[in-house]
Amino acid sequence: MKQRIKCIVMLAACIMCLGGCAVLAVFAVGAGAGVAGYGWYKGSLKVEYEAPFIETYDASVKTLEKMEMKLNTQEHKLTKGWVFARSAEDKEVRLTLKYISANRTEVDIRVGTFGDEEASNLIGEEIRKEIFKK
């Protein structure tokens, strides 16, 4: 499964390089990965997890704590939530969560002012691992 995800990430990078950053690429991956789709757009990584909203929110907070980030704000309502933190490199980390359906939640991950794709991907993968304990 990890090989499949790596292939999809590489394909996404190639398409974005050819099509420019204005293209939002969303790729469906197997349900076993727990990710319904993801894409890099204007400095943010959007990931759609196949998990309930509150589980995804709790996993997001726990992930940032495990990554030893300083949490500034964490709040959620019924269908949306926010987690703002600072990384060890003093970069702002913003997670915005949105309820999509009973078992699907979108997380928008932005690291730094202009976005850091590598750091965002790392956070997204760590959230996935926390949700699905894989």
Side-chain angles (χ1 to χ4, degrees), residues 73-90:
T73 303
Q74 51 186 5
E75 175 185 351
H76 73 82
K77 299 187 181 199
L78 193 57
T79 61
K80 54 188 169 183
W82 306 267
V83 183
F84 301 131
R86 284 256 180 229
S87 70
E89 297 82 25
D90 201 37

Side-chain angles (χ1 to χ4, degrees), residues 24-126:
L24 173 61
V26 177
F27 298 94
V29 295
V35 176
Y38 64 94
W40 179 258
Y41 183 68
K42 293 187 177 182
S44 292
L45 177 70
K46 291 189 184 293
V47 184
E48 208 171 290
Y49 296 99
E50 293 179 345
F53 174 80
I54 198 66
E55 286 180 27
T56 306
Y57 177 83
D58 290 342
S60 297
V61 171
K62 195 169 186 177
T63 294
L64 295 182
E65 288 173 341
K66 282 183 174 180
M67 296 178 82
E68 298 181 355
M69 295 194 190
K70 181 181 180 230
L71 298 177
N72 296 326
T73 303
Q74 51 186 5
E75 175 185 351
H76 73 82
K77 299 187 181 199
L78 193 57
T79 61
K80 54 188 169 183
W82 306 267
V83 183
F84 301 131
R86 284 256 180 229
S87 70
E89 297 82 25
D90 201 37
K91 286 186 179 180
E92 181 182 54
V93 176
R94 291 181 292 167
L95 306 182
T96 306
L97 294 88
K98 184 170 82 172
Y99 171 93
I100 302 296
S101 68
N103 288 309
R104 194 165 279 198
T105 305
E106 180 184 270
V107 181
D108 184 88
I109 304 166
R110 185 178 195 95
V111 178
T113 304
F114 301 106
D116 181 333
E117 189 170 4
E118 186 177 331
S120 296
N121 281 322
L122 177 64
I123 292 168
E125 176 60 13
E126 292 301 315

Side-chain angles (χ1 to χ4, degrees), residues 14-33:
C14 290
I15 289 172
M16 286 185 194
C17 286
L18 294 173
C21 292
V23 176
L24 173 61
V26 177
F27 298 94
V29 295

